[in-house]
Amino acid sequence: MVTDEPQKYQDVGLPIGVKVHHRNELDAVQKAFREYTDVSVILYDQPCATERRRLRKRGNWEDPNKRSFINAAVCEGCGDCGVASNCMSIEPLETELGRKRQINQGTCNKDFSCVEGFCPSFVTVEGGQLKKDKPRAAPAKSASPKTEWRSELPLPAIAPLTQVHSVLIAGIGGTGVVTIGQTLAVAAHIDGYFSSNLDVTGLAQKYGAVHSHVRWSPRSDMLHATRIAEGEARSLIGCDLIVAASDESVGTIDIAAGGAVVCTDIIPTAEFARNPDWAINRDALIAQFREQLGDRALLLEGQRLATTLVGDPLAANMFMLGAAWQLGQIPLSLSAIEQAIELNGVAIAMNKEAFTWGRRAAIDLALVEDVAKARKPSKILQFAPQNRLTVDQIIEHRVGHLQAYGVKTLESRYLNLVKRVRGIEASVSTATQLTAAVAHNYHRLLAVKDEWEVARLYTHPDFRAALADQFEGNFRLKFHLGSGPFARRNKATGALEKSEVGSWMMLVFKLIASARGLRGTWLDPFRWNAERELERTLLQQYERDVDRLLTELSSGNVQLAVRIAQLPETIRGYGHVKERHAKHAAEQRRQLWEQWANGASPKSRATQLAV
């Protein structure tokens, strides 16, 4: 028996020989059972995490007053938390130092497997509650207003239905796509129509593609297939851009007369849990709708707006439905839709508010944007890189970070190498890609997140500010650490694991941070552990590599030089995670230097010409 709650079986009389294991021992159990020659059975007992979240919202499941939180400053962006949990509530956070991670508290299932990732950036917050955004004064009207703030919204012209009307809702699992479909089907029934509703959920995975096919008509004999066929949808409500832009979704739209309301925020797919550098071309997906539907496609950042205006990213789908209804794409009465929301019985006030904001956005998006800007910036993640920094901005930022790091010699060491790279690159190219690559990656190797730095980052005011931005009330912290005395081996699997440490650890962090002047001296207790030795080796190797690049650099090999200079970017994480990434980077380095030797360097090209 494998379960996430072994304590449930303490007083259960299981048959002789049946053992109970925690879910983190599943791999070891499977390896043991594969050696058993006769029949064997493994029972895995754990409720669906998404279903537990639904039941909690209805008050039918215990809701632990505990949440996961990531200290972005400590996070390395290695993705080990995603590997451990395969959870899509771990979302990317773009920062000046690169892509980090953050927890989407609105969609978190409180499974807590993410904290098993081998990283000290995770803390659990016990007690208190999520902080609700408090509205600030909103503008009375927009720059070019069609409506005023809080004014009565005009009703769309809805003609009596004489034929089948089909609406496809395309989104991702765990966000309420099925609820939107059910709301429409019930509203159609309330209005006296006959309706059908087919939910295509695919794999039972949070954030997996979900389609809800909703059809209604004045007569039952008009409804045949429940699935919307190609070119039959009069409206596409795209709650997720990637799913909405798929061939399956776009193919259902009636190109001649249909319309679409599409949320353009990028929500990462399951691939992000496996590939921390995952990215997608958002502009190309948006252009697809503009080219096919023109003005009949309303494209807006529903996730960001709903989170800012209503306070919950799960309100985004109802926000999109409100916009589609206001545009006349949903021929149902307002009273029927509101009654259907009430009959659903969950977050009634929030859903009605989100629906109304969607209506406003369809009429005057500029006004809604003005109101959103006047409120506290939403915590919703934007999955897009920040504006690229110039080389001078990168250098200035990294120098400031090195000064705070606490080792006086690092600043001059950093600037000397970066200036050399900049001067030599300018002699062979007008670009600054190599300088930017070295400015970013050399800093990563100099300012490693050792125990001294992790302590400094936890005691920095930014950590408390980040907590205060998301939580309020009385709460306490617990840390999850895997270095020094807190590292332990799983007896079943042999894997290195972290230990949970109480809030008293903040006092230890303050003590370590205040003594970081000992870093690198013979009094440094962390100096000779394996991870510090690896980091010193990588730094020395990088400096030798850059020296060679500068010696042999030419206009013909500068792009390859940039790729070599960027290699430290892939060496992320802590402990065995960093070690694994370092081994992978070493193989990449070997291959890149082989390319350099076989045709990229001036010396090798001259040799080839001579032959």
Side-chain angles (χ1 to χ4, degrees), residues 220-275:
S220 61
D221 59 358
M222 290 181 172
L223 292 175
H224 301 291
T226 55
R227 192 183 189 102
I228 300 172
E230 183 176 352
E232 286 187 347
R234 298 302 296 269
S235 176
L236 168 66
I237 301 177
C239 302
D240 176 77
L241 179 59
I242 297 174
V243 179
S246 66
D247 292 341
E248 181 179 357
S249 301
V250 174
T252 64
I253 303 175
D254 180 348
I255 298 299
V261 176
V262 181
C263 178
T264 58
D265 304 88
I266 288 292
I267 300 175
T269 69
E271 177 64 21
F272 178 65
R274 297 183 291 271
N275 176 14

Side-chain angles (χ1 to χ4, degrees), residues 272 311 338 351 417:
F272 178 65
E338 290 182 337
N351 282 317
L417 182 60

